Amino acid sequence: MTFIVGTLLVLALAALGLYWLLMPQPILVETARVVNSPFQDTIEEDGRTRVRERYLVSAPLSGRVQRLALKAGDAVGAGQKLAIVTPPVSPLLDPRVRLELEAQVGTAEATVEEAKSLHEQAKVLLAQAGADLKRINELSKRNVAAAAQLERQEFLSRSAERQAYAAERRWHAATHVLEQARAALKTANDSDPTEVFPILSPIDGLVLRIIQESEGVVLQGSPLFELGDPRDLEIAVDVLTTDAARIKDGDKVIIERWGGPSDLQGIVRRVEPSGFTKISALGVEEQRVWVVVDISSPRGTWTSLGDGYRVEVKIVVDQADQAIVVPIGALFRRGDAWNVFVVAQGRAYVRKLEVARLSARVAAVAQGIRPGETVILYPPAALADGNRIRLQ
């Protein structure tokens, strides 16, 4: 009797072990919670900072340039001597060169007039933007205009102010170029072989780059310096043309991973009208377009940011105050419908959703799921409806 009981027990244990080996094992998955939170549809790309107005200082005439004492990053003032050109005697006595210098003076005078006109135009636009802001502010106080419209007009007014400032600097720079051209013509007319020609800074700013550092002979028009004001930065972002079609001037921008302790705020100033072809890291041709972003955060929060720095930007093209938010990695398609795997009692169940909006990282769900439920991220191909699961 004891032998029979022992045999039956061994057989039962063997059958139980065989069943455990052959039964489907729980699938290891990663999960996330469905939450009710603000939703933002963003376009995420890398960008580069750049000085908004760059000035390339070139040699106004051929000659020998002395070795430069300036270094990249040095501060310069408007009218400060940057370099000295010692012109050769013979070109100054050449009538053809004298005619060319006279033509340069005429071109510089025309550039000054054009810059002056653009400055006057920018001041008119600034005055108009200020008047519009004042009017919308009054309408907002009476609850006639929306808060978003007031915020957009404030951004446009600030952008018009910077445009006027940039136009004024271009006018001053053109005036300095005219003075240099007149001085070069005077040197040619005086034909003094001992005279040297100073190259002056057209702006107050910093030396961004020195192109000709060592002493040597340069030709007329050879670039010597690149100057700019790093306090006046903008961000250039190249985005896919399909994404650019959704971006509008005045859209909010979040600037991340720029090296500072907190994110910065910005606003889209311009979506350029012409695209270009770029080869991606995978060797695929992409049509992209430049989007220019102004930094709207206070200057004191990004003083360490300089020219040519890499940043990551999120351009907000749509948003909602509250929505049922699901991570984009949990969604998958079956036919024309979006689906997710919902976790319940240790098993995965397929649930069809109605997605209202999609962004790069999350989706806003109209119906099909409730806040607090758990969904599976990046569901494995072997996962099926009703399978047992094991959490990571």
Side-chain angles (χ1 to χ4, degrees), residues 1-8:
M1 185 66 179
T2 303
F3 175 75
I4 296 174
V5 172
T7 303
L8 292 176

Side-chain angles (χ1 to χ4, degrees), residues 156-318:
L156 293 177
S157 178
R158 194 177 307 160
S159 178
E161 183 178 352
R162 297 186 67 178
Q163 293 280 10
Y165 173 72
E168 182 181 9
R169 293 175 65 86
R170 284 194 293 269
W171 179 26
H172 289 321
T175 303
H176 282 285
V177 172
L178 175 59
E179 291 174 357
Q180 288 187 350
R182 286 174 174 169
L185 179 60
K186 181 179 181 299
T187 302
N189 291 331
D190 294 344
S191 65
D192 185 357
T194 63
E195 187 175 2
V196 295
F197 185 78
I199 299 176
L200 307 179
S201 171
I203 62 164
D204 295 325
L206 295 182
V207 178
L208 301 179
R209 189 163 60 104
I210 296 179
I211 302 170
Q212 176 72 27
E213 184 173 1
S214 301
E215 180 178 351
V217 176
V218 296
L219 298 177
Q220 182 179 1
S222 299
L224 302 177
F225 301 92
E226 194 172 19
L227 308 179
D229 184 1
R231 296 171 299 178
D232 188 19
L233 289 180
E234 63 184 10
I235 299 175
V237 188
D238 61 308
V239 303
L240 291 170
T241 53
T242 51
D243 290 334
R246 304 165 57 202
I247 301 174
K248 304 182 296 298
D249 294 353
D251 280 348
K252 179 182 176 182
V253 179
I254 303 171
I255 304 162
E256 302 177 326
R257 296 180 179 87
W258 60 276
S262 59
D263 295 343
L264 301 177
Q265 301 298 315
I267 180 174
V268 174
R269 174 159 53 89
R270 182 175 64 252
V271 180
E272 295 192 352
S274 179
F276 59 93
T277 302
K278 180 180 179 180
I279 306 299
S280 70
L282 299 177
V284 179
E285 283 192 0
E286 298 177 339
Q287 288 302 116
R288 305 183 80 88
V289 66
W290 287 109
V291 176
V292 182
V293 175
D294 284 335
I295 304 174
S296 58
S297 294
R299 169 73 177 119
T301 61
W302 50 275
T303 53
S304 60
L305 202 58
D307 178 54
Y309 283 33
R310 174 187 173 275
V311 297
E312 294 184 14
V313 301
K314 294 198 301 187
I315 303 173
V316 181
V317 295
D318 191 12

Side-chain angles (χ1 to χ4, degrees), residues 85-102:
V85 178
T86 304
V89 177
S90 54
L92 295 177
L93 299 177
D94 189 348
R96 180 181 61 82
V97 174
R98 188 173 291 108
L99 291 175
E100 290 178 353
L101 293 175
E102 291 175 353

